[in-house]
Amino acid sequence: MSVMSESLQERVVAAVGTQYEIDGEIGRGGMSVVYRARDRRLNRPVAIKVLPPELAHDPAIRTRFTREAQMSAQLSHAHIVPIYDVGELEGLAYFVMALVEGESLAARLARGGPMPLDQVRTVAGEVADALDYAHRQGVVHRDIKPDNILFDEDENALVTDFGIATGHFRSRMTGSGNVMGTPHYMSPEQARGKLLDGRSDIYGLGVVMYETLVGFPPFDGADSYSISYKHVTETAVSPEVVDSRIPPELAAIVMRCLEKNPSHRYERGNDLADALIGFLAGASAHNEFRMARTARAPAVLAAG
């Protein structure tokens, strides 16, 4: 562990040590460092997400981190990682959430590549259900990507990292004019710094579905600008063109999520979930018909 990591962990222990026992760092990204810990009072494992020191010195960023985490803590859904506590002590902003021991969707894709169709449908349906709930509470996630979808011990998909979420119809642009988010998964309106609603998350989930089906996102480029530009101006190659084994009906669902115009996408997460259920029902009926036809074939030949 580096000196910087030790220093930050010591600060975390000093800030929350009376209530939480820190076991060590389990991950970090551009906006946070996450520690495994145990809640001393309730005797349960938790994860503590901390705003890094290089960002915490900015009062505006620190205030937004805490305010948005507090808003996210109001969400209670089976497929959303719950937030238990939000605080700021000794100049350290943090929030405490459930510890999910399973891997992320990003790790699973890196390890195994494209996923089976039934798993894609299940994961996307669970995330869509979670997003529908969040949107009805007035919260737009704004960073739906494989890293922010976790699997628990029962293989349920859980959405995490609502820390940069915000209310409906707010721009993703910061005060300095920078658009926040992950370029590969941004909706066109998000990439342009426009006003957002829940349909922006539907687009992000469409990108995730695309990647789980074919193994890579629909757009790539040399830098963030080129990727964002493609989201705004280019039409993705449909998944069944990339891989002919993907059913056109499922590809059509993904492509509707990826419509440039938000009004052409699914209006709600539940609409997307219903479409996925309809696809599954149709696929099951098709398979049953095919099996029945195969079973009848010998008798027909014998009669001839």
Side-chain angles (χ1 to χ4, degrees):
M1 182 178 294
S2 68
V3 174
M4 180 176 292
S5 298
E6 291 176 349
S7 176
L8 178 57
Q9 182 166 324
E10 289 171 357
R11 291 185 60 189
V12 173
V13 171
V16 305
T18 58
Q19 183 173 347
Y20 302 102
E21 180 182 354
I22 306 298
D23 293 333
E25 181 182 320
I26 57 176
R28 63 171 57 216
M31 291 290 292
S32 63
V33 180
V34 183
Y35 294 91
R36 179 192 303 270
R38 177 165 293 278
D39 187 325
R40 297 179 186 272
R41 293 183 301 183
L42 299 178
N43 191 33
R44 65 180 176 186
V46 297
I48 300 180
K49 181 170 288 191
V50 180
L51 190 65
E54 59 268 25
L55 298 177
H57 75 278
D58 186 322
I61 294 178
R62 187 170 64 247
T63 299
R64 186 173 69 241
F65 178 89
T66 303
R67 183 184 67 246
E68 293 172 352
Q70 289 171 333
M71 179 177 61
S72 303
Q74 305 306 310
L75 300 176
S76 177
H77 189 275
H79 294 290
I80 295 176
V81 177
I83 293 180
Y84 299 141
D85 191 15
V86 179
E88 183 175 350
L89 290 171
E90 306 293 334
L92 197 70
Y94 68 92
F95 58 88
V96 183
M97 57 189 177
L99 178 65
V100 181
E101 297 285 6
E103 65 184 346
S104 68
L105 178 57
R108 182 161 299 184
L109 290 172
R111 178 170 52 82
M115 298 167 59
L117 297 183
D118 60 334
Q119 292 184 21
V120 173
R121 190 216 64 82
T122 299
V123 171
E126 291 174 347
V127 173
D129 188 44
L131 291 175
D132 187 272
Y133 166 80
H135 297 161
R136 285 186 282 111
Q137 311 309 308
V139 177
V140 181
H141 188 286
R142 303 192 308 170
D143 202 16
I144 294 297
K145 59 183 178 180
D147 294 279
N148 289 338
I149 299 171
L150 307 179
F151 294 101
D152 65 14
E153 61 275 13
D154 296 319
E155 285 297 293
N156 297 306
L158 286 82
V159 180
T160 189
D161 205 356
F162 277 84
I164 62 170
T166 191
H168 281 294
F169 308 116
R170 289 191 180 181
S171 171
R172 186 105 197 218
M173 190 169 289
T174 66
S176 62
N178 296 319
V179 176
M180 295 175 60
T182 307
H184 282 98
Y185 305 93
M186 280 187 182
S187 67
E189 62 271 26
Q190 184 176 352
R192 297 171 63 193
K194 300 295 184 180
L195 301 179
L196 304 180
D197 61 22
R199 293 170 298 183
S200 181
D201 286 343
I202 297 297
Y203 185 96
L205 181 52
V207 177
V208 170
M209 292 174 62
Y210 192 107
E211 184 172 2
T212 57
L213 287 170
V214 305
F216 49 83
F219 301 115
D220 199 5
D223 51 38
S224 298
Y225 176 82
S226 62
I227 299 170
S228 299
Y229 185 78
K230 290 179 180 180
H231 279 293
V232 173
T233 62
E234 296 187 10
T235 299
V237 177
S238 188
E240 88 274 16
V241 175
V242 179
D243 185 342
S244 60
R245 295 171 297 179
I246 297 172
E249 298 83 0
L250 181 56
I253 293 174
V254 174
M255 294 303 288
R256 182 172 175 182
C257 293
L258 297 180
E259 287 282 355
K260 303 300 183 188
N261 187 332
S263 65
H264 295 164
R265 301 173 201 150
Y266 294 100
E267 184 72 18
R268 296 179 49 187
N270 277 353
D271 296 332
L272 171 56
D274 288 344
L276 291 167
I277 292 172
F279 161 74
L280 179 63
S284 298
H286 175 75
N287 289 337
E288 289 176 4
F289 173 76
R290 184 177 61 184
M291 292 174 64
R293 184 178 60 185
T294 302
R296 290 195 303 267
V300 172
L301 291 174

